[in-house]
Amino acid sequence: MATPNLPSDTMLAAVLEQFGEPYSMQQIPRPGSPQGQDILIKVLAASYCHTDAVFASGQLSQDLPRVGCHEFAGEIIALGPDVSSEQELAVGVRVGVPGRAYHPCGACYECTHPDKDIMGYSPYCPSSGNLGLTRDGGFQQYCLVDSRQVAMIPDGLTATQTAPLMCAGLTIWAALHHDKVRWASGIAILGAGGGLGHLGVQFAAHLGMQVLAIDANDRSLELLQQIKATLGPVGQRVYITDARKYDISAMPALIQKSSPDIPVTELGVDAVILLPESQAAFDMGMNLLRNHGTMVVVSFPEKKLEVSAHDLVFRDINVVGSLVGRNHQLREMLVFATKHGVSAKVKTFPFEQLNNLVEEYHKGYGGKLVVDMTL
Ligand SMILES: [Zn+2]
Ligand SMILES: [Zn+2]
C-alpha cells in the first residue's frame, strides 16, 4: 500500500563527514518510496545516545559519511508493499524506532529462535544493519526504517518522550528483565543519574523493586532527587546514594547503618546494574552484591573488566551482560511507561542546533538531549 505522489525533493540532514568533527547540516536527497517491508517516516524527534558520541569519535571504525541517531520517533508517510497487515501500521500512525536490526537475515539461529518475537526476525541477527551506524538514522527529516523493528506509540506519549526510550529505555528495561534479575527485590543501579539510569530507577521502582540509586557527581544526584520526587509513593523504594561518601569495601554495612530500611543485608543486594565504564564501578558493584547475586554489565569499557574468581566461586556471583531488548520487550516497555508515567528528563533542541546539543552532552547533562523536529 504505497502512497502515491511522494515529493522526491531534498531534506535537511545532519551528516557526519569526519570523525571528531561536528555534524554538517546539509540538504540531501529525500528517500524514495519504501520497498519490501520498509516504511518511510517523517522524523518527529531524535535522541542523542552515548553510542552516537562513541561513533562520532571514530572508535567504532564504521564508514562515513553517515547520518547518526538510533533512537527516534516519527510519523508514517508511506509503507512498502510487503509490510505485514498484522503490524497494524498505516499512514499517519506514530512509531518509535530503535536503531538495531535493519533487515535481519531471517535464516540464522537468532532469527529462527525469536523468543516471543516474529519468526524469521530477530533484533539479535548478526547480519542485520543498524540505523545511525551502518545505515542513515534519525538525524534527518525523513528516514527509511524496517517495519518489523518499530513500535506504535501509545496515545499519551509524545514523540520527544518516546525517542529516548528506543535505546536508553529499552536497554535498561531489558537489563531489569534479565532472567536472573526480574525476581530481584533489592537492586543497585550504578550510574543511576545518567540517561539510562534515571529511566531504570523509575522502571525498577514501579516494578516493585527496592532501588539503591548510586552516582558520584552533584548533577546526577540532583537529577535523582528530582526523579524520586516525581515517583509519588513508589519513590519510597528509591534510596539515593552518593558513592563518594563511602569506602567501597565497607559500603553495604555502612549503607545499612545509615538507612535501616534499605534493602541491603550485610551481604548486599540481589542484583547490580553497571552503567559506568570503569573498573572502580564494577568493583563497587561486586561489593554491593549478596552471595548468589547477579552483576548485569550494560556499559562497555574500552579495557577488559577484571573479575575475581573468588567472587564467582566462593560467593556464587553471576556476571551477565545485557544488550538492547527484543521487540516484544519494546512494546511492553512503551505500554508500561505510558501507564506509570515513566519519562526521561528531556532537554529539547531545534534540529538546526544539533551541534549545540552535542556540546551540551559533552558537558555531562544528566538526562536525555533530544532534537524536536517540530521546533
Ligand atoms: Zn538472522
Ligand atoms: Zn544507544
Side-chain angles (χ1 to χ4, degrees), residues 339-359:
K339 180 179 172 192
H340 294 283
V342 171
S343 61
K345 166 96 171 167
V346 163
K347 183 170 179 182
T348 57
F349 289 73
F351 188 27
E352 292 78 7
Q353 292 175 18
L354 174 59
N355 286 315
N356 301 76
L357 178 157
V358 175
E359 277 176 30

Side-chain angles (χ1 to χ4, degrees), residues 103-112 120-122 124-128:
H103 289 188
C105 75
C108 71
Y109 177 85
E110 289 286 355
C111 287
T112 52
Y121 169 75
S122 168
Y124 288 86
C125 175
S127 310
S128 61

Side-chain angles (χ1 to χ4, degrees), residues 49-52 70-71 167-168 171 196 368:
C49 172
H50 178 63
T51 306
D52 286 309
H70 57 271
E71 49 177 7
C167 177
T171 300
L196 276 75
K368 292 293 291 184

